[in-house]
Amino acid sequence: MKKLTNKEKEIMELYWQHGPMFVRELQEHYAEPRPHFNTLSTIVRILEREGFLDHKQYGNTYQYYPLISEAEYGRKSMAGIIKNYFDDSYLSAVSSFVKEEKISVEELRELIDQIENSK
C-alpha cells in the first residue's frame, strides 16, 4: 500500500472523522486561509485513483467516502515497514524496539500474556 503524503493523510483523517463529504464540505473543515477548492479536488481524485476514496454521483457533483478505515491503513502501513526495513520479520522489529529500549522486557511479557489470554 502506498504511504500517504502529509496532505493526503490530512484529507483522509477528515474523511475518517466526518464520513462522506463533497469537496466543498471538506474545504469547510479547514481554518482560514482555506486550501483552494481545485487543490483539494485534485488531491481527492488522486486518493480515489489510488483506492483510498470512492464517490457517489449526485447530478454533476461527487460525494467522496473512504474505502479504507484508519485502522486498516495503520495495519497495512506497519506491515509495509516491517517488510521493507525488517526483512518481513516481526520478530526483528520487536527485537529492535527492545534493543533501543522503546519497549521494556516487562512490557513484552505483558504483551505475551495478552496474546496467550486472547487465544
Side-chain angles (χ1 to χ4, degrees):
M1 164 169 286
K2 175 197 178 281
K3 183 178 185 294
L4 295 170
T5 66
N6 290 340
K7 207 36 117 169
E8 290 170 340
K9 188 168 187 292
E10 182 179 285
I11 289 171
M12 284 304 299
E13 286 173 349
L14 288 169
Y15 276 103
W16 289 325
Q17 290 169 12
H18 301 287
M21 289 184 285
F22 297 95
V23 175
R24 188 74 59 207
E25 292 172 310
L26 174 66
Q27 188 181 33
E28 291 170 10
H29 288 286
Y30 284 89
E32 293 291 344
R34 292 185 170 122
H36 193 275
F37 176 88
N38 290 342
T39 302
L40 290 176
S41 182
T42 298
I43 297 170
V44 164
R45 286 193 314 273
I46 290 168
L47 288 166
E48 181 178 30
R49 186 176 63 240
E50 293 175 348
F52 289 96
L53 295 174
D54 201 356
H55 73 268
K56 289 181 187 174
Q57 185 169 358
Y58 295 94
N60 63 352
T61 189
Y62 300 100
Q63 183 183 50
Y64 294 89
Y65 57 92
L67 287 176
I68 182 171
S69 71
E70 188 171 14
E72 186 178 355
Y73 175 71
R75 282 191 302 275
K76 289 183 178 187
S77 294
M78 179 61 74
I81 289 169
I82 302 242
K83 180 179 180 184
N84 294 327
Y85 297 101
F86 297 99
D87 295 325
D88 212 12
S89 168
Y90 285 80
L91 180 58
S92 291
V94 172
S95 255
S96 137
F97 291 133
V98 172
K99 286 177 189 169
E100 293 184 20
E101 299 180 7
K102 303 292 183 191
I103 185 172
S104 70
V105 174
E106 183 57 39
E107 289 171 318
L108 202 49
R109 285 190 184 109
E110 289 176 30
L111 180 59
I112 291 168
D113 287 344
Q114 288 174 9
I115 293 167
E116 287 176 342
N117 290 333
S118 69
K119 289 183 180 181

